[in-house]
């Protein structure tokens, strides 16, 4: 059959969030008071100075193609940011700007992964990591972090998972979905293992600006003497500057990786949207007051809702150190309320209590659910009250 579809997408796992999201949207359209806690983006608007910079660029006629790897001025703003915030020095040839961090990651896997190569992914993970590895012909290899290990993996676990086919290890700190952060000592141990095995470290640092309390974000690329050379840092302005829809992400790393990524981008996207690039320049070169305001607000929300959620029967919950997610282990609550999975638990929670949460199965952590506190505080408190009522009503001793 000449019109047979390519097989590369047949192994992809459909997003477990789609059914919940679609159901919640349909209920809202019917006028039902649904509270959605699935948001993966800040609930603030993009800061006004950034919007103005994009508007000004368009008024000045800056609406044409740019170099595939990004405007030189934006690359320089990223280089300055990496030096200022992370103590890392890069050249323009070691930076690529893409259509969001997700597309940058996709391009990276296409460049470094051959069919049969293995990429080690800690559990819980962001939903797109394993799917992008599979699209490149690679094989995701999972190592598990649980609530008992603060949802982090150890250097010994990593070492045991490495084989002769291992190409890379994915590190996401602060983490989506757990909000946990690796300490500098933990990162040093991981970097040493990757050095001994001579594998890439893919360090997704998109939530680096959203860190709370005494926790500190450290880029693994800034540690061991040669960690920078083997680490590809992934970042962007989506979470830090509330610019998810502007679609600007980037990678910093060895030129031998960045150049083919840029070549590939030239045949896929041509370049990121030009006004978005000018907006990102302002995001990094302009005042950072809004970034701190958002971080502080998220931290206050976390302090307010964490004890309420942790007090629900059958919920085991670590207090996140970053990002804007809570990932309680609800295995006891699921069992005691008569369900066989968090998927069915979440479905009933939506239908009976009108609260939408994301089942942890999509993150490789089926005993959990993810809730986003990128939600107005009053609504989140009401949602927690509904969840508690749902659990207590169904609880079976």
């Amino acid at each position: 059959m000449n019109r047979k579809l390519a097989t590369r997408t047949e192994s992809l796992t459909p997003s477990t969030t789609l059914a919940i999201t679609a159901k919640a949207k349909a209920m809202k359209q019917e006028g039902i008071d649904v509270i959605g806690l699935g948001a993966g983006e800040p609930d603030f608007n993009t800061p006004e100075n950034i919007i103005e910079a994009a508007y000004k660029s368009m008024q000045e006629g800056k609406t044409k193609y740019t170099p595939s790897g990004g405007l030189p001025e934006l690359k320089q703003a990223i280089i300055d940011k990496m030096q200022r915030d992370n103590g890392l020095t890069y050249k323009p040839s070691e930076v690529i700007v893409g259509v969001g961090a997700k597309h940058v990651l996709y391009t990276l896997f296409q460049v470094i992964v051959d069919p049969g190569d293995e990429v080690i992914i800690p559990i819980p993970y962001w939903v797109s990591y394993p799917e992008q590895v599979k699209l490149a012909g690679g094989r995701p290899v999972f190592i598990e972090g649980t609530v008992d290990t603060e949802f982090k993996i150890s250097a010994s676990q990593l070492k045991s998972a490495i084989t002769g086919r291992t190409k890379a290890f994915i590190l996401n700190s602060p983490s989506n979905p757990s909000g946990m952060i690796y300490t500098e000592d933990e990162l040093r141990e991981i970097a040493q293992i990757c050095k001994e095995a001579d594998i890439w470290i893919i360090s997704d640092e998109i939530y680096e600006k959203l860190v709370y309390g005494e926790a500190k974000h450290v880029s693994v690329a800034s540690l061991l003497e040669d960690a920078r050379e083997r680490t590809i840092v992934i970042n962007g302005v989506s979470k830090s500057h509330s610019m998810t829809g502007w679609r600007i992400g980037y990678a910093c790393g060895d030129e031998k990786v960045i150049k083919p990524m840029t070549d590939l981008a030239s045949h896929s996207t041509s370049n990121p949207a030009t006004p978005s690039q000018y907006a990102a320049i302002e995001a990094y070169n302009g005042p950072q007051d809004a970034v701190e305001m958002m971080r502080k607000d998220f931290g206050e929300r976390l302090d307010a809702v964490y004890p309420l959620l942790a007090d629900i029967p059958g919920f085991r919950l670590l207090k996140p150190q970053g990002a804007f997610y809570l990932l309680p282990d609800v295995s006891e609550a699921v069992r005691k309320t008569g369900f066989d999975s968090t998927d069915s638990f979440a479905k009933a929670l939506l239908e009976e209590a009108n609260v939408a949460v994301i089942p942890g199965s999509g993150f490789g952590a089926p005993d959990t659910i993810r809730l986003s506190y990128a939600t107005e505080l009053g609504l989140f408190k009401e949602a927690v009250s509904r969840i508690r009522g749902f659990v207590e009503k169904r609880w079976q001793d």
Side-chain angles (χ1 to χ4, degrees):
M1 179 178 176
N2 292 333
R3 293 184 295 110
K4 186 176 186 294
L5 300 180
T7 59
R8 68 176 58 88
T9 60
E10 292 178 357
S11 65
L12 296 182
T13 303
S15 171
T16 56
T17 66
L18 289 181
I20 292 287
T21 302
K23 177 71 172 177
K25 184 176 181 180
M27 291 172 67
K28 284 185 177 181
Q29 290 175 339
E30 293 171 8
I32 300 173
D33 179 25
V34 173
I35 301 176
L37 301 181
E41 59 185 351
D43 56 333
F44 299 95
N45 195 17
T46 303
E48 191 63 31
N49 63 303
I50 297 173
I51 295 173
E52 285 297 322
Y55 178 73
K56 181 181 178 183
S57 74
M58 290 185 282
Q59 291 293 102
E60 294 174 349
K62 297 174 180 176
T63 57
K64 311 301 182 184
Y65 292 129
T66 74
S68 292
L71 286 164
E73 305 97 305
L74 178 51
K75 285 191 175 188
Q76 188 58 53
I78 292 167
I79 289 167
D80 293 343
K81 178 265 175 219
M82 296 299 290
Q83 179 65 58
R84 179 176 65 244
D85 293 350
N86 308 105
L88 290 162
T89 302
Y90 293 97
K91 301 178 296 186
S93 60
E94 296 174 313
V95 179
I96 178 175
V97 183
V99 186
K102 179 182 284 189
H103 186 259
V104 173
L105 278 163
Y106 177 88
T107 305
L108 173 60
F109 290 125
Q110 292 295 317
V111 165
I112 68 171
V113 175
D114 279 323
D117 284 347
E118 297 174 352
V119 177
I120 298 175
I121 304 174
I123 294 173
Y125 49 74
W126 179 53
V127 294
S128 292
Y129 293 146
E131 309 312 314
Q132 292 190 354
V133 169
K134 288 189 284 186
L135 282 168
R139 186 172 80 87
V141 174
F142 301 108
I143 48 179
E144 186 174 15
T146 67
V147 67
D148 295 315
T149 63
E150 298 183 339
F151 291 116
K152 295 188 283 187
I153 59 96
S154 67
S156 60
Q157 281 179 289
L158 174 58
K159 187 173 184 177
S160 296
I162 293 173
T163 72
R165 297 307 303 268
T166 304
K167 183 61 70 75
F169 166 68
I170 299 177
L171 176 68
N172 180 209
S173 178
S175 163
N176 172 13
S178 74
M180 302 311 289
I181 297 174
Y182 283 83
T183 67
E184 184 171 337
D185 287 343
E186 289 168 339
L187 292 174
R188 285 187 184 279
E189 291 181 354
I190 287 171
Q192 182 62 37
I193 296 297
C194 292
K195 176 181 178 180
E196 293 169 359
D198 192 26
I199 61 174
W200 293 106
I201 302 172
I202 300 171
S203 184
D204 184 347
E205 303 178 12
I206 195 76
Y207 290 97
E208 69 161 333
K209 292 295 183 181
L210 298 176
V211 174
Y212 316 113
E214 300 300 316
K216 179 183 177 183
H217 169 265
V218 177
S219 176
V220 67
S222 68
L223 299 177
L224 302 186
E225 185 176 345
D226 70 341
R228 178 196 175 284
E229 280 63 43
R230 72 178 63 260
T231 302
I232 309 298
V233 176
I234 307 294
N235 210 326
V237 292
S238 291
K239 316 297 182 179
S240 58
H241 294 78
S242 196
M243 293 176 66
T244 52
W246 297 80
R247 309 313 302 135
I248 294 292
Y250 56 88
C252 300
D254 195 303
E255 186 175 349
K256 71 181 182 182
V257 174
I258 299 300
K259 184 181 185 303
M261 288 179 67
T262 305
D263 292 342
L264 180 55
S266 74
H267 291 292
S268 57
T269 58
S270 289
N271 61 266
T274 303
S276 293
Q277 293 191 64
Y278 282 101
I281 292 170
E282 174 64 18
Y284 279 147
N285 290 348
Q288 303 299 303
D289 308 61
V291 176
E292 175 58 19
M293 179 276 293
M294 288 187 282
R295 187 201 68 81
K296 183 178 179 182
D297 195 281
F298 284 134
E300 290 172 351
R301 295 186 203 181
L302 173 60
D303 288 341
V305 302
Y306 166 74
L308 302 178
L309 197 65
D311 193 48
I312 295 176
F315 278 46
R316 294 179 63 203
L317 180 60
L318 298 171
K319 187 172 184 180
Q321 299 165 308
F324 40 67
Y325 307 109
L326 293 149
L327 192 72
D329 181 315
V330 296
S331 53
E332 183 185 9
V334 168
R335 185 175 66 256
K336 290 285 191 177
T337 51
F339 295 99
D340 59 3
S341 69
T342 53
D343 292 75
S344 57
F345 177 87
K347 183 175 183 291
L349 181 63
L350 176 59
E351 293 173 346
E352 298 179 22
N354 300 339
V355 177
V357 301
I358 307 300
S361 54
F363 311 110
D367 287 339
T368 68
I369 57 174
R370 193 192 77 175
L371 308 89
S372 169
Y373 52 94
T375 306
E376 192 272 321
L377 183 56
L379 281 178
F380 200 105
K381 287 183 175 180
E382 170 61 22
V384 172
S385 176
R386 294 183 188 182
I387 295 170
R388 171 181 280 278
F390 171 82
V391 171
E392 291 178 343
K393 179 181 177 181
R394 282 179 161 270
W395 192 270
Q396 303 168 6
D397 288 320

